[in-house]
Amino acid sequence: AQSVTQPDARVTVSEGASLQLRCKYSYFGTPYLFWYVQYPRQGLQLLLKYYPGDPVVQGVNGFEAEFSKSNSSFHLRKASVHWSDWAVYFCAVSSSGGSNYKLTFGKGTLLTVTP
Amino acid sequence: EAGVTQSPRYAVLQEGQAVSFWCDPISGHDTLYWYQQPRDQGPQLLVYFRDEAVIDNSQLPSDRFSAVRPKGTNSTLKIQSAKQGDTATYLCASSPGWGAYEQYFGPGTRLTVL
C-alpha cells in the first residue's frame, strides 16, 4: 500500500529565508507525486506535480520540488519565503498505471513565517 | 473555467441528525472524489466515482454514509445519523481522469456534530 510521511508537523522560517519541507513516500513502482497547499478555511490548491521525467519540477509562486527514487523523497523548496506562504502543505502520492487514481496524503506541515 | 463548488460551506448538527453535502465538479471531469479531513490531519478518501459508477467506497462507513452521482456530474454525500466523530471538513475533488492524476479541490464543508 502506498503511504506518505511528512516528518515535520510545523516549520518556522523567517521572511526572505529559504525553505525546505520534507516528504518521504512509500510506493512499489513509479509514483506520481504532488504538493498541495491549504490556506485557512479553504480547500487544497495544487502547487506542483511530478510525472516521471525530469526530477526537478517547478510550481506556482516560486516553489519547486525534487524527486529522488533512491531516497524515496519529494522535498519542496522555495528560495525566499513570503509572509503569504503561511499555510499547511500536503504531500501526496498516486499510483501509476491501471485505473487506480487514488491520492494518499501525508498529515501535512504547517509553515509559519516570522517577520 | 469554474472550479469545484460545494455547499453548504458550514453545518452544525446534533448527534443523530442527518446532513447532505453537494458537489459540482469542474465541467468535463469524469472522476469525482469525496474526502474527510479531520482537524489537523490530511484528507482521507471516502469514495470516488468515474462517471456515475462507484470505483472505490471501501473507506465509506456504509452503515451511515452514502454517496451518489446519478448522472455522472453532480454528487451528494449523505450522513444518515451523525456522530461527534464525524466532525471534520468534507472535501470534494475532481479530476479529468484517464492519464491525469492531479485532483482539483473545492472549498469544503466544515461539519460540527455536537
Side-chain angles (χ1 to χ4, degrees):
Chain A
Q2 59 203 47
S3 66
V4 172
T5 301
Q6 294 181 250
D8 304 309
R10 181 174 179 143
V11 169
T12 298
V13 176
S14 298
E15 191 168 16
S18 63
L19 165 72
Q20 177 171 280
L21 301 182
R22 297 185 292 164
C23 171
K24 301 275 284 184
Y25 69 89
S26 174
Y27 179 71
F28 182 76
T30 302
Y32 289 63
L33 295 157
F34 305 86
W35 277 99
Y36 284 85
V37 61
Q38 187 173 36
Y39 299 103
R41 290 178 169 60
Q42 295 187 28
L44 278 70
Q45 299 174 26
L46 181 64
L47 270 182
L48 49 78
K49 61 186 180 185
Y50 168 77
Y51 281 22
D54 190 333
V56 178
V57 292
Q58 304 295 323
V60 299
N61 297 334
F63 286 94
E64 69 173 27
E66 184 167 5
F67 168 72
S68 170
K69 186 170 184 177
S70 60
N71 294 325
S72 298
S73 67
F74 188 56
H75 301 328
L76 182 71
R77 302 188 297 238
K78 187 172 184 179
S80 178
V81 170
H82 189 264
W83 66 266
S84 61
D85 294 325
W86 187 315
V88 181
Y89 293 79
F90 292 97
C91 181
V93 62
S94 177
S95 57
S96 59
S99 60
N100 184 349
Y101 289 81
K102 295 192 291 187
L103 283 180
T104 300
F105 287 87
K107 292 187 176 182
T109 298
L110 171 63
L111 172 65
T112 60
V113 182
T114 58
Chain B
E1 177 182 86
V4 177
T5 56
Q6 293 185 245
S7 65
R9 292 296 310 275
Y10 303 92
V12 180
L13 308 174
Q14 298 289 334
E15 272 200 325
Q17 289 186 305
V19 63
S20 291
F21 310 130
W22 179 85
C23 173
D24 188 5
I26 293 171
S27 177
H29 283 194
D30 65 358
T31 309
L32 184 149
Y33 304 81
W34 284 104
Y35 290 87
Q36 182 189 64
Q37 185 181 20
R39 185 179 175 85
D40 297 330
Q41 294 188 36
Q44 297 158 12
L45 182 68
L46 290 173
V47 58
Y48 83 98
F49 300 84
R50 183 161 297 120
D51 298 319
E52 67 277 5
V54 173
I55 304 301
D56 187 337
N57 63 356
S58 59
Q59 301 304 310
L60 194 68
S62 58
D63 57 334
R64 297 185 300 108
F65 286 63
S66 62
V68 294
R69 192 185 185 201
K71 296 183 179 179
T73 52
N74 302 334
S75 178
T76 302
L77 175 70
K78 183 174 182 178
I79 305 176
Q80 197 74 286
S81 178
K83 298 182 178 180
Q84 287 188 351
D86 299 331
T87 294
T89 297
Y90 291 82
L91 296 165
C92 179
S94 70
S95 173
W98 300 118
Y101 296 84
E102 65 269 26
Q103 298 177 18
Y104 299 89
F105 285 79
T109 297
R110 191 169 182 179
L111 173 67
T112 302
V113 183
L114 303 174

